[in-house]
């Protein structure tokens, strides 16, 4: 599904990713853990195609296609979903309009029929229910006045609506209370646990992994993967800290 | 017929005088709008569709009256909305306007709001979206007379420039001769937010769609206060935005 080879990237002229190699096969959930500043969000942004993140070496294929040959919106249409560590607020634009136009833009790119207003609202309501979010919130401007936890839940509702092949979730669990964490974990399993789908889950905590069991766990430190293992690696990290494990 | 104004006059410093000259001889006197005490009035002003579109209003709100005016300014050459408002005791005045233009158009909103008695409120919100070499201006004078204590006035002016050649001018001006007065004004000029653009792209929205949506959001808040379901001005604004985005 996702094949990253020897990826180097800079931000504002500073080297952040330094030869990162990682493969996520279809049907698997991989967790990435690592200390603050290791480059986890940078990896997510590079994969999403955020302007200002420059790839200086290496390659990434997504579903067999050269990822870097695609514009950010084309990556989304090809089935990639990026869950933001800090979801962005857009005053004046309702969530419903934002998501409907985004989804229909994806549909146009694929040559599929667009959703009508009524069809879309039905889909949005269903997905909000899956995440235990009041669908009325989707009438509000995108993320404006949402609490930290509500923003993360809303990210998962968006993922449900987009129904991607690959989700890259950057600290979707941070800032969540226990109920929200459960709801988000349940949402990820519900939406993404499938033989033809994959997840790259960036997290600091074992907690989320109690709900979403990863197939593999990787430790990212100073811009590369320094260790990989099974779910037990996450426990080891929780017990001993990054310094020990990544050393 | 009075003489054609010149740019030396403060209220015409950004005007397209040649364009104004083309309509000056036939220009109707300002429309007089009087709102009786305790009465309420909402008006929605759509552009005439002419290249040169000059609209003038003299408005008086008697004690306790309230007015909500919504205006769209999109003339392709010169659009000017001129408003002179007098507020008596406790009157409430709200004005929401958008300048949307590209090419060589000059668009301006020029207001004088006179708080002549105590406790009146005035809120003016102006949003400009300018492309090409368009010039969008807001000149807004708030005059608070002696004795008009408890005045509460607000002017919020924001512009979005879509091209290097576009210009936004904002000149809020206060003239205060009373006590206990609250007058706030703010003006900003910006470009589309990169984080918002990337967020929209990450959700699959193509660049043109993302720009149009963000611009709609920038302007759209103006029409939230419209009572009833007249969405004509919102639709017209959307069409104007699509034409320049
Ligand atoms: N725009 C930028 N300009 C300069 N340096 C940057 C920029 N963005 C990120 N960095 C730097 O890149 C490094 C990696 O940042 P990144 O956000 O990827 O870390 P992270 O692993 O996600 O950390 P956290 O766990 O705190 O979220 C940090 O040292 C950060 O300061
Ligand atoms: Mg991060």
């Amino acid at each position: 599904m996702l094949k990253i080879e020897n990826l180097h990237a800079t931000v504002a002229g500073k080297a952040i990713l330094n030869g990162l190699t990682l493969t996520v096969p279809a049907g698997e959930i991989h967790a990435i853990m690592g200390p603050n500043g290791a480059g986890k969000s940078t990896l997510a942004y590079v994969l999403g195609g955020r302007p200002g993140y420059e790839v200086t070496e290496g390659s990434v294929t997504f579903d067999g296609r050269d990822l870097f040959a695609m514009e950010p919106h084309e990556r989304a249409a090809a089935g990639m979903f990026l869950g933001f560590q800090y979801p962005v607020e857009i005053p004046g634009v309702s969530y419903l309009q934002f998501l409907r136009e985004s989804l229909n833009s994806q549909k146009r790119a694929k040559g599929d029929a667009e959703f009508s207003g009524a069809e879309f609202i039905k889909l949005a309501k269903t997905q909000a229910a899956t995440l235990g979010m009041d669908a009325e919130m989707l009438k509000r401007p995108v993320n404006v006045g949402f609490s930290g936890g509500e923003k993360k839940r809303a990210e998962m509702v968006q993922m449900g609506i987009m129904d991607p092949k690959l989700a890259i979730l950057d600290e979707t669990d941070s800032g969540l209370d226990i109920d929200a964490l459960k709801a988000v974990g349940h949402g990820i399993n519900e939406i993404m646990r499938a033989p033809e789908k994959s997840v790259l889950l960036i997290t600091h905590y074992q907690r989320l992994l109690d709900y979403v069991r990863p197939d593999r766990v990787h430790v990212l430190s100073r811009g590369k993967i320094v260790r990989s293992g099974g779910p037990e690696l996450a426990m080891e990290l929780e017990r001993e800290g990054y310094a020990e494990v990544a050393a | 017929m009075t003489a054609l104004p010149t740019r030396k006059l403060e209220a015409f410093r950004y005007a397209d005088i040649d364009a104004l000259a083309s309509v000056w001889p036939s220009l109707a006197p300002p429309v007089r709008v009087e709102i009786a005490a305790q009465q309420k009035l909402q008006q929605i002003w759509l552009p005439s569709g002419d290249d040169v579109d000059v609209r003038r209003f003299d408005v008086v709100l008697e004690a306790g009256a309230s007015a909500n005016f919504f205006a769209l300014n999109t003339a392709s050459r010169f659009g000017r909305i001129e408003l002179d408002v007098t507020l008596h005791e406790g009157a409430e005045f709200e004005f929401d306007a958008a300048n949307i233009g590209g090419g060589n158009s000059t668009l301006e909103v020029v207001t004088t709001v006179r708080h002549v008695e105590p406790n009146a409120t005035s809120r003016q919100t102006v949003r400009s979206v300018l492309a090409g070499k368009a010039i969008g201006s807001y000149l807004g004078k708030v005059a608070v007379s002696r004795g008009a204590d408890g005045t509460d006035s607000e002017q919020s002016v924001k512009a979005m420039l879509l091209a290097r050649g576009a210009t936004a001018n904002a000149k809020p001006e206060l003239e205060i001769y009373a006590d206990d007065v609250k007058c706030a004004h703010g003006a900003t000029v910006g470009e589309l937010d990169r984080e918002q653009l990337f967020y929209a792209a990450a959700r699959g929205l193509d660049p043109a769609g993302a720009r149009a949506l963000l611009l709609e959001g920038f302007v759209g808040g103006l029409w939230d206060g419209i009572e009833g379901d007249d969405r004509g001005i919102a639709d017209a604004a959307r069409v104007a935005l699509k034409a320049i985005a």
Side-chain angles (χ1 to χ4, degrees):
Chain A
M1 174 71 69
L2 182 70
K3 199 159 190 261
I4 305 173
E5 269 180 295
N6 189 32
L7 184 61
H8 291 251
T10 61
V11 184
K14 191 172 145 197
I16 310 290
L17 299 183
N18 303 301
L20 189 147
T21 297
L22 177 67
T23 300
V24 186
E28 292 193 6
I29 294 180
H30 287 209
I32 292 193
M33 305 181 84
N36 294 130
K40 303 181 299 295
S41 294
T42 302
L43 172 64
Y45 285 141
V46 166
L47 295 175
R50 184 175 173 152
Y53 290 73
E54 204 189 331
V55 176
T56 50
E57 211 185 315
S59 66
V60 177
T61 58
F62 168 42
D63 227 9
R65 294 169 67 186
D66 176 6
L67 185 72
F68 299 137
M70 292 186 253
E71 294 292 319
H73 67 283
E74 294 168 340
R75 298 178 196 193
M80 174 185 283
F81 179 86
L82 188 58
F84 282 59
Q85 181 174 2
Y86 304 107
V88 179
E89 298 183 2
I90 311 182
V93 177
S94 82
Y95 242 123
L96 283 174
Q97 191 187 4
F98 175 67
L99 294 177
R100 185 178 159 209
E101 293 202 12
S102 299
L103 185 61
N104 280 339
S105 182
Q106 289 192 25
K107 299 236 165 226
R108 278 196 301 278
K110 290 188 282 197
D112 293 346
E114 295 183 27
F115 272 99
S116 72
E119 285 168 333
F120 178 75
I121 285 177
K122 198 167 158 223
L123 172 66
K125 277 193 177 156
T126 310
Q127 294 305 326
T130 302
L131 269 301
M133 187 173 124
D134 183 359
E136 283 295 304
M137 286 189 77
L138 296 174
K139 292 183 181 162
R140 285 168 48 183
V142 178
N143 291 321
V144 177
F146 284 44
S147 74
E150 286 168 347
K151 286 180 184 172
K152 296 302 179 70
R153 240 187 239 243
E155 290 287 290
M156 293 302 93
V157 174
Q158 298 185 54
M159 182 170 79
I161 290 171
M162 302 303 173
D163 192 23
K165 283 188 213 157
L166 169 68
I168 298 157
L169 306 180
D170 191 359
E171 293 197 30
T172 299
D173 53 337
S174 59
L176 296 182
D177 64 31
I178 295 168
D179 290 350
L181 187 70
K182 256 189 214 171
V184 162
H186 167 75
I188 296 172
N189 289 326
E190 190 86 351
I191 300 161
M192 297 304 297
R193 253 301 172 206
E196 71 288 359
K197 293 180 169 186
S198 309
V199 179
L200 196 57
L201 201 60
I202 297 170
T203 180
H204 280 292
Y205 307 105
Q206 166 63 29
R207 294 185 315 170
L208 178 65
L209 304 181
D210 290 339
Y211 298 104
V212 183
R213 198 176 156 75
D215 299 288
R216 300 283 290 166
V217 175
H218 309 275
V219 181
L220 176 58
S221 176
R222 297 205 184 106
K224 47 167 115 175
I225 303 294
V226 294
R227 247 188 97 177
S228 299
E232 69 289 346
L233 179 55
M235 320 268 201
E236 193 184 329
L237 285 167
E238 186 102 333
R239 265 198 324 272
E240 312 196 352
Y242 295 120
E244 285 296 315
V245 175
Chain B
M1 184 89 262
T2 50
L4 182 69
T6 70
R7 283 194 167 209
K8 290 209 179 82
L9 286 167
E10 181 57 28
F12 289 87
R13 61 186 288 175
Y14 302 117
D16 180 341
I17 300 294
D18 289 345
L20 184 60
S22 72
V23 297
W24 191 254
S26 58
L27 198 61
V31 176
R32 228 181 129 69
V33 181
E34 281 173 49
I35 308 168
Q38 310 303 332
Q39 296 301 300
K40 223 179 131 151
L41 180 71
Q42 167 173 293
Q43 285 199 354
I44 297 174
W45 302 331
L46 289 167
S48 67
D50 296 339
D51 297 352
V52 178
D53 187 9
V54 178
R55 290 170 280 170
R56 304 187 292 174
F57 302 86
D58 275 349
V59 185
V60 178
L61 277 76
E62 297 296 349
S66 84
N68 282 323
F69 296 153
F70 301 90
L72 179 62
N73 198 20
T74 59
S76 61
R77 185 172 169 205
F78 180 48
R80 178 178 169 97
I81 295 172
E82 205 178 294
L83 204 56
D84 190 310
V85 183
T86 301
L87 303 176
H88 289 277
E89 181 155 8
E92 291 175 9
F93 173 67
E94 184 175 324
F95 180 55
D96 296 280
N99 290 318
I100 301 173
N104 286 307
S105 77
T106 299
L107 301 169
E108 51 190 16
V109 170
V110 181
T111 65
T112 302
V113 175
R114 306 168 199 277
H115 286 254
V116 298
E117 287 180 358
N119 302 320
T121 60
S122 62
R123 312 229 167 283
Q124 301 180 64
T125 309
V126 177
R127 299 288 178 261
S128 300
V129 181
L130 305 162
K133 292 184 182 154
I135 300 170
S137 307
Y138 167 78
L139 288 102
K141 180 161 153 184
V142 173
V144 182
S145 304
R146 197 156 284 123
D149 301 349
T151 286
D152 184 351
S153 116
E154 198 179 301
Q155 293 160 285
S156 163
V157 188
K158 290 185 186 168
M160 197 72 88
L161 302 180
L162 304 186
R164 283 188 187 283
T167 311
N169 304 299
K171 250 189 126 263
E173 196 186 332
L174 300 173
E175 197 182 275
I176 303 174
Y177 296 102
D179 299 320
D180 184 25
V181 165
K182 205 167 99 195
C183 290
H185 60 81
T188 62
V189 178
E191 296 169 5
L192 288 175
D193 184 277
R194 284 154 188 258
E195 295 219 18
Q196 293 176 347
L197 284 170
F198 177 63
Y199 194 57
R203 295 295 171 259
L205 198 55
D206 58 80
R211 286 161 58 97
L213 187 69
L214 295 186
L215 289 173
E216 203 181 313
F218 176 70
V219 170
L222 289 172
W223 324 126
D224 286 349
I226 293 178
E227 281 182 24
D229 41 31
D230 186 348
R231 301 305 295 164
I233 197 165
D235 293 340
R238 197 173 302 132
V239 169
L241 285 172
K242 285 246 155 74
I244 61 163

